[in-house]
Amino acid sequence: MSEPCFVPARILLPDPSVPLARWACLACDQFTSQPDYWADARAAAGEGPTALDLVLPEVYLEQPDVEGRIAAIHAAMERYEQQVLTRAVNGYVYLERVDFAGNLRAGLVGAVDLEQYSYAPGTRPAVRPTEGTVVSRIPPRLRVRQGAALESPHVMMLIDDPADTVLGPLGRAAAGQTPLYEGQLMLGGGSIRGWAVEDPARVAAITQALAALGAQENFDARYPAAAGQPPLTLAVGDGNHSLATAKAWWEQLKPTLSPEEQKTHPARWCLAEVCNIHSPAIGIEPIHRVVFGADPAVFAADFAAWLKEKNALADPAAPGAQRFRLTGGETLAASEAVHPLAVGTLEAFLADWLPAHPAASVDFIHGEDAVAALCADGTAAGVLLPPFAKEDIFRGVVLGGVLPRKTFSMGHARDKRYYLECRRILP
């Protein structure tokens, strides 16, 4: 068996006296244009210990006092590790999150081996991003991680586990057991509770189940078009640039370490939550496109002509056709000749079309009603993408490398991961 890519860790938790509604806070890359949300979060945290002191909401990245904020974060990490994070789990944390709509999402907190992850284009490690990584987004995040004693990232990894072999047994074992923590999350985040997974037999069962998901024979059977390629075990569902930042920091550290130190240095791993893409609580929605400054009829004709040129124009009634509903009322369809996913085909067209139309610009829109409203006056062309099947996430990554940018949205902003568990990343 190859070395596992997701392993147990020493996971730190706040003292039971610290209310979750004050401690846990939302992923820092949400509400980036809404400082009022983060002001409300600070008010909700009050004066008590809070994970908000350990992270830098991205709404503040461009503020003039950012260096002072980072210094305060690093100081809080050292202080909290000594005074607040009084509990430790040597293993995993199994958790159940109930969102504002009442959906229950199971997850498993452990550590991703950054040696088995890469965001470099063309690579096929066991752990892969689902979308292209914008390298320019890493340096500001790296400034927070450099010199940090702790991590509490918001990374959510996905497994393609239709039989629920990893999380299902943990949920059944947790039933009736006293949780490590439970309570409400601040500002509409729903509720959460978690249980320690330290029993050696359960830890071994997790390792075996993940190994089976990433086994070559299972990968080849599931993706015959990619048979023989290195298998994919974990795909990044959320927090792509957080994980990329952890990788960048590890690559900076590695040359300063001996080969033996590289095997055990805590920065080699990154804390993350693993979820099953087949969970009913994980909603995957397409992100539509609106092209401003485009005549809808001309845009439709150009798109159809481009598909024909690529030998990709298809009958909308054909089984498996990629269908694009245009706000002018027309439906175009494509084969997989350009890309295995509809969004990839559209992005390839836009990459060719936009440079020839410098007055036009594209935006990424959630919801069909919003697209219709933006295109109502006829000065913009809207393209409604078809429903995005969950299995297409893994299929798209395996067959297409990474998914095109802005392919899908995984839940609402308040459904994202809340910072709760921590881990030391300094020796």
Side-chain angles (χ1 to χ4, degrees), residues 55-375:
V55 297
L56 179 63
E58 293 186 7
V59 69
Y60 303 127
L61 276 181
E62 304 301 324
Q63 295 295 314
D65 63 344
V66 66
E67 295 301 330
R69 288 179 181 272
I70 293 173
I73 288 168
H74 290 171
M77 288 177 174
E78 298 285 359
R79 185 173 68 255
Y80 278 16
E81 186 177 13
Q82 297 298 318
Q83 302 174 6
V84 179
L85 299 169
T86 61
R87 296 183 291 167
V89 171
N90 293 300
Y92 299 101
V93 171
Y94 168 76
L95 62 89
E96 293 180 349
R97 169 85 176 273
V98 178
D99 64 22
F100 75 99
N103 301 308
L104 188 150
R105 184 184 75 220
L108 184 68
V109 178
V112 174
D113 184 358
L114 297 172
E115 284 291 294
Q116 299 192 59
Y117 157 74
S118 174
Y119 53 83
T123 56
R124 291 187 172 91
V127 183
R128 305 177 200 175
T130 50
E131 297 185 359
T133 301
V134 182
V135 177
S136 62
R137 293 184 63 186
I138 294 176
R141 293 155 181 80
L142 192 57
R143 281 151 53 198
V144 180
R145 196 168 181 91
Q146 290 170 328
L150 301 174
E151 66 169 359
S152 182
H154 60 266
V155 179
M156 291 178 64
M157 309 298 302
L158 296 172
I159 49 175
D160 187 2
D161 188 13
D164 202 18
T165 61
V166 176
L167 299 175
L170 298 173
R172 292 188 288 273
Q177 302 297 313
T178 302
L180 279 169
Y181 59 74
E182 63 179 327
Q184 295 293 313
L185 297 170
M186 67 167 66
L187 302 180
S191 64
I192 193 170
R193 54 182 181 167
W195 295 262
V197 182
E198 297 178 301
D199 177 72
R202 296 203 184 282
V203 169
I206 293 168
T207 300
Q208 292 168 3
L210 286 170
L213 291 179
Q216 188 72 56
E217 59 271 23
N218 291 340
F219 177 84
D220 291 350
R222 195 163 185 81
Y223 308 106
Q229 293 183 11
L232 167 64
T233 303
L234 297 176
V236 184
D238 201 30
N240 180 53
H241 289 89
S242 180
L243 190 63
T245 299
K247 174 72 170 182
W249 177 229
W250 171 236
E251 292 299 329
Q252 285 189 15
L253 281 176
K254 276 174 64 176
T256 71
L257 305 173
S258 69
E260 287 304 310
E261 289 173 327
Q262 291 177 16
K263 294 178 181 179
T264 60
H265 195 287
R268 172 176 165 169
W269 291 269
C270 179
L271 207 64
E273 177 185 345
V274 165
C275 299
N276 187 358
I277 188 63
H278 296 277
S279 167
I282 294 180
I284 302 296
E285 300 176 356
I287 301 177
H288 307 299
R289 272 56 170 170
V290 170
V291 184
F292 296 99
D295 180 276
V298 173
F299 181 86
D302 288 350
F303 192 10
W306 184 88
L307 290 172
K308 187 174 182 179
E309 178 187 332
K310 299 295 182 182
N311 295 315
L313 189 63
D315 183 342
Q322 301 171 358
R323 297 174 184 85
F324 307 90
R325 287 187 291 140
L326 308 183
T327 48
E330 187 173 356
T331 296
L332 293 176
S335 68
E336 295 185 357
V338 175
H339 194 278
L341 300 180
V343 65
T345 299
L346 177 58
E347 281 294 306
F349 165 65
L350 290 172
D352 286 347
W353 189 86
L354 285 170
H357 299 80
S361 63
V362 65
D363 200 0
F364 308 93
I365 306 298
H366 299 261
E368 296 186 11
D369 291 345
V371 173
L374 290 168
C375 299

Side-chain angles (χ1 to χ4, degrees), residues 7-31:
V7 298
R10 181 172 174 79
I11 300 171
L12 306 177
L13 294 163
D15 190 86
S17 64
V18 179
L20 281 187
R22 292 187 176 184
W23 172 258
C25 68
L26 185 63
C28 67
D29 62 345
Q30 301 302 305
F31 299 106

